[in-house]
Amino acid sequence: MESIESPREFVGEVIGSYRVLSKLGSGGMGTVYRAQDTRLERPVALKLLPDASLFDKDTLLRFRNEARASSSLNHPNICTVYEAGEDHGIPFIAMELLDGQTLAQKIDSHSLPADDILRIGSEVCDALQCAHEKGIIHRDLKPSNIFIITRGDAKLLDFGVSKRLKVEAAATHASAVATTLTMHGQVLGTAPYMSPEQLQGKPVDGRSDIFSLGAVFYEMATGLQAHRGESTATILAEILRGEPRPIRQLNPEIPAELQRVIRKCLEKDPADRYQSAKELAIDLRRLQRDLRNPIEPDRASLAAVLRSRTAIVTGAVALSLIALALAVWLTPPSVSAPLDSHQITFSAVPKQGPLFTDGSRLYFQARNQPSEMSIGGGMIAPLTALRGMYLMDLSRDGSRVIGWKADPNDNVGRGSMWIAPVLGGMPSRFTDHLAQAAGFSPDGQSIVFADMGSLYSGGADGSGVKKVWSTKEFIQDLAVSPADKQFSLSLSRDEQHRSRLWRLSADGTNARVLPLGWPDKTKESAGQWTPDGRHFIFLSDREGPTNVYELVSPPWYAFWRKPAPVRLTGSQIDIQAFAPAHEANTLFVLGRMDQGLMQVFDPHTRKFVPYLDGLAARDFVISPDGQSMIYAEYPSGHLWRSKLDGTDAVELTSSYAAMEQWSPDGKSVVYSDWHRIYLLSADGGAPQPLVPGGDNQVSPTWTPDGKSIAFNLYPLPNVAPSAIQLVDLASRNISEMPDTLGFYFPSWSPDGKYMVAVALNPARMMLYSAETKTWRELKRFDVLWGYFTWARDSKALYMALVDDQRGMYRLTVPEGKWERMGGMERIDARDLDSFVSMTADGEPAIMSHTGIAQIYTLHWKH
C-alpha cells in the first residue's frame, strides 16, 4: 500500500474503461485527469479521489453523493456525467471533458461586463432550476465551480456537497448515510459564498443557492468577494452585520437595476430573496432585453450638454422640454400588459387551433372537426364544408375557407389543400401541391402556401402558381399583411424545431429575421397583423407557457428606442391560437392547461376507461419480466420507471423521451428524443447517445438476441431515403438491414419471429419473417396511418387512427386481418403523441388530452 504522504499518480493507468492521460487539476473533492474512453474512443474528464480520502468515510460518501447527484441531472448548462463506478476500490466519475476556463480564472480579480454577467447568470439559473426541480441543492456555488467553455456557455460543476431535499423511502443504506452527511447542523461548502443559514448549520433550500449565486454575481461585477474574513465566524459576522459595499461605488459601469438584482439575491432573510432560480432568471433576461434596447438617453451626457449652453439656449431647451413633457402627457400610453380578458366558452368540448373570425362568428377545430360558434359564445356546430379536414384559413369576407387533408404518404405534416364555401357546397382541390401552411390574401383573390421551405403564391382558382421565396429551413406558418405587401413566416431554425419569426416583401425580397433581442432558446410563431395593421402579434414561450406578445413601437418622442415585445396574456395557461377581431381593440385567444390521462380499452363495453386512475403518461411499456413499466410523463416527456400499479415511481430522465423500449434482459432502456437515440440503465443515470452525431434518429427496437438495436432515420421529402439501420452494441458499428430501403419505424415482435416496418408510395405495413428472412406486404393504408404496438403474444398489432376512420384497430400477424375494435369518441387524441401502449392483460391503451381549451376575449385599452 502506498503511503498517505506519497499520493498515487494515475497517469498511464486504466481505471474502469478509461486510460488516464494527464493530470488537469486537484480540488477538495478529488483530482481530475484527462482520459480516453477505450470503449467509445472519446476524451473524458476522469475524477478520482486521492488515496488519503479512501480511508475517510465521509469524503468517500460525499464523492459517491456527487456521482449520484450529477448523474441524475441532464441539462446543457450542467457538466454531463457519463459513468460513475469503482475499479479495485478506486471510486471514479467519468465526465464531459470541457475546453475553456473556470469563472474564477475569467474574473481573476477583474470585473466583467454587464452583458457577460447577465448571460452567464441566466445560464447558471437555468442549471440551478433543473437541479432544484429534482430536489438537489448545490450548496457549493462559487466561481471555481462554474466553467466557461470556449464558445462562451456556462457549465455548472461539482455537486460533491449537494443535498437532496427528500430521501426516497426505498433508498439504500448507503444513500441514507450519504444524505446524513448533508443534514443541517454541519457546515459544508466554501464560506465566502455560503448563505447565512448554511453558515449557521440551519436547514437550507434552493434560496441558499440563490444567495451563493448573488455572491458570485458580486464578484463578477466588482472583481472582489462580497464577504471576506479570516474564518467562517468572521465571514458570518460580516454577513449579519450588513450589506457589502454598494457595487456601483466599486464599478459605476454596472447598471443600477443589476445592482438591485444582486442585492436581492444577497438578502440575509431567505424570504426576502428571489424564491426560485426561475424567478431570478426572468429578471436577468428582462434586464438583458432592456440593455439591448435602452429606454432613456444617458442623463449625465445630457447634463453636460446643458451646462455647455448659454442661458438663452438653456431657456430655449427648458421651454422645449416643457413642450415635450406636455406632448408626452397628451400622447396615449403604449400597451399596458397583460390585457384584460373575458372567458366566452365553458364547455368540455375539445377545442384546438387555429382560430379565425369573420366578425360575427369564430371558426376553430372542435372534436377534431372544423367548427363554428358565435363570437359571444354558445353552441358549437360542425362546419360541414370541411368534414374530415383541418381548418387552415378563412377569407377576410368570411365566405370561403381553406381546408387541409393529411397525405398518407407524407411524414412532415404536409397534405392537400381544398377551397370550400362556408355556407356549404363541395370543396375543390387547390393545385396538386402538398403544403403545411396556407393563407388567403386580404382581398381573397390569391392564396399563399408553403411546401417545406418554399413559399408559393397563385390565384384562388389555382392559376398562375409561382415560387416566391425559398429557404433550407421548414416554414411552420405564414400570414399576409393587410396591405398585401409583406409576409410573416415562422421558420424552424435547429434540430430542436425551435422557430423564429421572419418577414419578407410580397415579391420575395428583403427577407430578414424579426429582431426581438431574445435568447436562442425561445420559440416564436404565428406572427400576424390585426386587420387595421396597427398591431403585430405572435406566440412565444419566452416566459415558460406560450403567451401572446405584441411587437410595440416606441412613442414618437423616444426615437432612439427599437420596437420591443410586450406580453398580452397572463402567463397562467398555454395559448394555443389567437385571432384578431375585425374591431381594432379586441383579440380572441384559445388557451389550455396541457394535461393528459391514460385510457385503456375495455373489451366488455368496447369503450376506453381510465387506466391506473388516469396515469398522466403519454405511453408506457411493460418490462420483459412483467414486474415493472417505464412511461413517458405528460406533458414533460420525462421517462419514469414504476411498478405495474404506478407505485415506487423513479424518474429516469429530466429531458424529453419517446419510443422507449426495454432490452430483452430488462436491464437497459433505449429511447429517442426525435433527434438522437439514447441508451440508459433501467436504474437511471446519464443517458448515453447510441450513435455519434446525426439527427432524426427514431424508432429504436432491440433485436431478439439483445446485441443490436435497429432504428431508422426519419424520412424527409428533400432527403434521399435510407434503409433500416443496425447498431452493434459491442462495437458500435452501424450497418444497413438488407432490402429495407425506404422502410421506417421498425419494430421487432416480443417473440422475435417478426419485424414490421412502414413503407410509402403507397403507404403500407411490411412484415419480415426471421425464419425466411424475407419481407412482404401486410396491410395497405388509404388514410394517414397511426402509431402502433405489438400484442404481448406477438399475434397482432394494435394501431390508433386519429384522423379519418378514427378508432382503435387490430391487425393480425401473419394473416393481415384488419378489424376495428372500437371508436375513440371520448378520446382527445392527436397525431404527435397518440402512441399506443399494451397492458399486462393484453389490452391496448392510449392517452387522452384532458386539458380542455377555452376561448377568451382580450381588449386593448385604446
Side-chain angles (χ1 to χ4, degrees), residues 4 45 48 135 153 195 204 210 280 345 437 466 474 500 524 533 562 578-579 609 630 667 743 756 785 800 817:
I4 294 176
L48 304 174
D153 295 342
S195 65
V204 299
I210 290 173
L280 171 57
T345 64
K466 62 180 180 180
F474 188 86
R500 177 174 293 174
E524 296 93 41
K562 298 178 181 178
F578 64 87
V609 297
I630 49 175
K667 295 181 179 180
F743 290 12
V756 292
W785 57 274
K817 180 182 178 182

Side-chain angles (χ1 to χ4, degrees), residues 710-726:
F711 68 97
N712 75 274
L713 302 178
Y714 193 85
L716 299 173
N718 59 346
V719 177
S722 62
I724 294 174
Q725 311 287 303
L726 285 169

